[in-house]
């Protein structure tokens, strides 16, 4: 069995931002496969769960920051837009 633990993978995938998700999960899966091969399933699963637990809070914070920044950039006109509008009118 070389597939990463499902629940912990799912949990982390929900916490990661969409831009980070593929890369982080891929890196963890590579390391998991190596540990599985060299140290066995129990050690690999323990390591994977620990990595996910350590990553949850920072991942959620990053996702929240990205969401907050994208919302505020949608609300505020881009720099110079007001000046351009005033020149037009």
């Amino acid at each position: 069995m070389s597939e990463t633990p499902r629940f912990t993978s799912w949990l982390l995938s929900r916490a990661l931002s969409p831009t980070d998700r593929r890369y982080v999960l891929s890196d963890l899966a590579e390391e998991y496969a190596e540990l599985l091969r060299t140290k066995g399933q129990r050690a690999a699963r323990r390591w994977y769960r620990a990595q996910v637990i350590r990553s949850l809070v920072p991942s959620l914070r990053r996702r929240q920051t990205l969401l907050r920044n994208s919302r505020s950039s949608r609300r505020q006109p881009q720099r110079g837009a007001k000046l351009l509008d005033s020149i037009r009118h």
Side-chain angles (χ1 to χ4, degrees), residues 1-51:
M1 176 185 180
S2 64
E3 187 177 313
T4 58
R6 283 188 209 174
F7 177 71
T8 47
S9 295
W10 174 84
L11 189 61
L12 183 58
S13 74
R14 298 300 100 194
L16 290 165
S17 70
T19 55
D20 295 338
R21 189 174 298 143
R22 180 177 61 178
Y23 303 109
V24 172
L25 293 175
S26 172
D27 287 348
L28 287 174
E30 285 178 29
E31 188 67 26
Y32 175 80
E34 179 64 21
L35 285 169
L36 187 62
R37 187 180 66 74
T38 59
K39 299 199 178 194
Q41 182 178 0
R42 188 174 183 172
R45 290 176 74 80
R46 188 176 333 119
W47 174 86
Y48 193 85
R49 281 191 297 267
Q51 293 301 310

Side-chain angles (χ1 to χ4, degrees), residues 53-65:
I53 289 167
R54 282 188 208 116
S55 300
L56 283 175
V57 171
S59 296
L60 287 169
R61 282 188 185 142
R62 176 167 162 71
R63 186 174 183 162
Q64 183 180 22
T65 300

